Amino acid sequence: MKVSPSILSCDFAHAADELHMVKNTGADMVHLDVMDSVFVPNMSFGPPVLACMRPHSDMCFDVHLMMKYPDRLLDDFAKAGADIINIHLESDAPIADTLARIRALGKKPAITIKPKTTAEEVFPYLEMVDMVLVMTVEPGFGGQSFMQDMLPKIAQLRAEIDRRGLAVEIQVDGGINADTAKLVAEAGADVAVIGSALFNSPDPKALVDQVHAL
Ligand code: DX5
Ligand code: ZN
């Protein structure tokens, strides 16, 4: 499975060093959590901070927009250096239009679903995205416990994507560590977002190697 470290758990005063650390683990991309304090209770950072980080990493920037109106800042996130722009199905954006705009900006569109949203609700958008992110915690905070009852949803999405012969990847985010990564890999996920488990690990590279082997 691919690994996308979530830098929400990093030391932002030393973000450049943290990005170098992530690169040295051999991870596949970097997951950047944007929170607006409206769609989720928490707040993180926006395009100016993303632009500051961009020169310090050549990795793919996978930007997870936990925003009520993600459509309002698409150009800014694109200019700031996002490679994948991921919007929530539950946001107030016009979903199909917003995904098409992300593609027109030359970026990869992705869509995220919260734990209470069903797999079927994302089916109409599968042809429009490069990736579907299944939240395995309620979005908003790092360090929460993995919700095991999300596993059937991952399997259901895997089956539908394969049935349609699409190249859409399934990503999971929330409470992922070496043990839960194994469960989501078995259910059919392709990419593991890992926040606290990676940044709190004494050997982040070993964790990435372990998840790569799944
Ligand atoms: C939570 C964020 C996650 C978070 C994951 O809303 O979307 O990306 O950083 O952190 P862990 O891996 O600690 O659950
Ligand atoms: Zn995230």
Side-chain angles (χ1 to χ4, degrees):
M1 199 164 34
K2 291 184 191 172
V3 181
S4 185
S6 163
I7 60 156
L8 187 62
S9 299
C10 87
D11 174 358
F12 278 100
H14 300 102
D17 295 339
E18 298 282 48
L19 287 167
H20 295 145
M21 183 281 281
V22 166
K23 174 84 178 177
N24 289 334
T25 64
D28 304 271
M29 57 187 107
V30 187
H31 184 90
L32 300 114
D33 289 296
V34 174
M35 305 184 189
D36 66 353
S37 84
V38 180
F39 184 75
V40 289
N42 202 0
M43 187 178 257
S44 57
F45 56 83
V49 175
L50 186 69
C52 289
M53 289 191 271
R54 186 65 279 185
H56 298 285
S57 179
D58 62 0
M59 293 179 74
C60 171
F61 274 11
D62 164 24
V63 181
H64 176 195
L65 299 182
M66 284 164 273
M67 297 172 66
K68 188 171 165 74
Y69 304 110
D71 49 323
R72 292 184 180 173
L73 290 176
L74 292 184
D75 294 7
D76 303 71
F77 281 111
K79 275 197 207 101
D83 297 300
I84 301 171
I85 300 182
N86 200 334
I87 63 164
H88 266 266
L89 179 63
E90 308 85 357
S91 71
D92 275 10
I95 300 297
D97 286 4
T98 305
L99 294 172
R101 276 180 59 206
I102 294 168
R103 183 83 72 195
L105 284 165
K107 307 299 176 184
K108 293 182 173 176
I111 192 160
T112 304
I113 51 175
K114 297 208 287 184
K116 289 192 185 71
T117 304
T118 64
E120 285 91 346
E121 288 173 81
V122 85
F123 286 176
Y125 305 103
L126 290 180
E127 268 84 7
M128 303 191 67
V129 296
D130 286 17
M131 191 163 69
V132 176
L133 169 52
V134 176
M135 290 301 307
T136 43
V137 297
E138 285 297 339
F141 300 92
Q144 304 182 77
S145 298
F146 176 77
M147 297 167 72
Q148 190 130 355
D149 51 344
M150 294 299 106
L151 292 172
K153 193 198 285 192
I154 297 165
Q156 209 185 336
L157 262 169
R158 171 87 282 145
E160 183 64 13
I161 289 167
D162 292 352
R163 190 185 70 78
R164 296 192 198 179
L166 299 172
V168 176
E169 289 190 308
I170 301 176
Q171 188 177 50
V172 289
D173 183 9
I176 304 295
N177 54 38
D179 297 330
T180 54
K182 189 167 187 298
L183 301 177
V184 294
E186 283 164 4
D190 306 290
V191 186
V193 174
I194 312 182
S196 52
L198 188 132
F199 283 91
N200 296 336
S201 168
D203 191 350
K205 188 182 181 311
L207 175 59
V208 172
D209 287 346
Q210 223 178 328
V211 177
H212 273 165
L214 292 172

PDB file of all heavy atoms in Angstrom, residues 31 33 64 66 173 193, ligand 2:
ATOM      1  N   HIS A  31       0.241  14.434   2.797  1.00  0.00           N
ATOM      2  CA  HIS A  31      -1.173  14.767   3.009  1.00  0.00           C
ATOM      3  C   HIS A  31      -1.249  16.042   3.846  1.00  0.00           C
ATOM      4  O   HIS A  31      -0.703  16.105   4.954  1.00  0.00           O
ATOM      5  CB  HIS A  31      -1.835  13.593   3.736  1.00  0.00           C
ATOM      6  CG  HIS A  31      -3.297  13.717   3.965  1.00  0.00           C
ATOM      7  ND1 HIS A  31      -4.231  13.262   3.061  1.00  0.00           N
ATOM      8  CD2 HIS A  31      -4.001  14.225   5.000  1.00  0.00           C
ATOM      9  CE1 HIS A  31      -5.454  13.471   3.544  1.00  0.00           C
ATOM     10  NE2 HIS A  31      -5.340  14.069   4.714  1.00  0.00           N
ATOM     11  N   ASP A  33      -3.750  18.783   5.607  1.00  0.00           N
ATOM     12  CA  ASP A  33      -5.122  18.932   6.088  1.00  0.00           C
ATOM     13  C   ASP A  33      -5.489  20.399   6.263  1.00  0.00           C
ATOM     14  O   ASP A  33      -4.947  21.080   7.128  1.00  0.00           O
ATOM     15  CB  ASP A  33      -5.283  18.209   7.432  1.00  0.00           C
ATOM     16  CG  ASP A  33      -5.244  16.705   7.259  1.00  0.00           C
ATOM     17  OD1 ASP A  33      -6.151  16.167   6.598  1.00  0.00           O
ATOM     18  OD2 ASP A  33      -4.302  16.078   7.772  1.00  0.00           O
ATOM     19  N   HIS A  64      -6.179  17.918   1.489  1.00  0.00           N
ATOM     20  CA  HIS A  64      -7.496  17.465   1.966  1.00  0.00           C
ATOM     21  C   HIS A  64      -8.242  18.676   2.519  1.00  0.00           C
ATOM     22  O   HIS A  64      -7.931  19.160   3.604  1.00  0.00           O
ATOM     23  CB  HIS A  64      -7.252  16.385   3.036  1.00  0.00           C
ATOM     24  CG  HIS A  64      -8.474  15.870   3.718  1.00  0.00           C
ATOM     25  ND1 HIS A  64      -8.424  15.143   4.885  1.00  0.00           N
ATOM     26  CD2 HIS A  64      -9.799  15.956   3.389  1.00  0.00           C
ATOM     27  CE1 HIS A  64      -9.653  14.820   5.253  1.00  0.00           C
ATOM     28  NE2 HIS A  64     -10.502  15.301   4.373  1.00  0.00           N
ATOM     29  N   MET A  66     -11.009  20.241   4.303  1.00  0.00           N
ATOM     30  CA  MET A  66     -12.149  20.095   5.216  1.00  0.00           C
ATOM     31  C   MET A  66     -12.765  21.481   5.356  1.00  0.00           C
ATOM     32  O   MET A  66     -12.590  22.188   6.346  1.00  0.00           O
ATOM     33  CB  MET A  66     -11.668  19.526   6.557  1.00  0.00           C
ATOM     34  CG  MET A  66     -11.367  18.034   6.469  1.00  0.00           C
ATOM     35  SD  MET A  66     -10.391  17.416   7.842  1.00  0.00           S
ATOM     36  CE  MET A  66      -8.755  17.735   7.203  1.00  0.00           C
ATOM     37  N   ASP A 173      -8.098   7.561   5.858  1.00  0.00           N
ATOM     38  CA  ASP A 173      -7.540   8.629   6.692  1.00  0.00           C
ATOM     39  C   ASP A 173      -8.195   8.606   8.061  1.00  0.00           C
ATOM     40  O   ASP A 173      -9.409   8.761   8.165  1.00  0.00           O
ATOM     41  CB  ASP A 173      -7.803   9.976   5.983  1.00  0.00           C
ATOM     42  CG  ASP A 173      -7.215  11.177   6.689  1.00  0.00           C
ATOM     43  OD1 ASP A 173      -6.454  11.009   7.651  1.00  0.00           O
ATOM     44  OD2 ASP A 173      -7.528  12.306   6.243  1.00  0.00           O
ATOM     45  N   VAL A 193      -3.267   7.232   4.726  1.00  0.00           N
ATOM     46  CA  VAL A 193      -2.841   8.499   5.331  1.00  0.00           C
ATOM     47  C   VAL A 193      -2.456   8.169   6.771  1.00  0.00           C
ATOM     48  O   VAL A 193      -3.223   7.520   7.475  1.00  0.00           O
ATOM     49  CB  VAL A 193      -3.980   9.542   5.317  1.00  0.00           C
ATOM     50  CG1 VAL A 193      -3.573  10.797   6.073  1.00  0.00           C
ATOM     51  CG2 VAL A 193      -4.375   9.874   3.877  1.00  0.00           C
TER      52      VAL A 193
HETATM   53 ZN    ZN B   2      -6.794  14.287   6.241  1.00  0.00          ZN
END
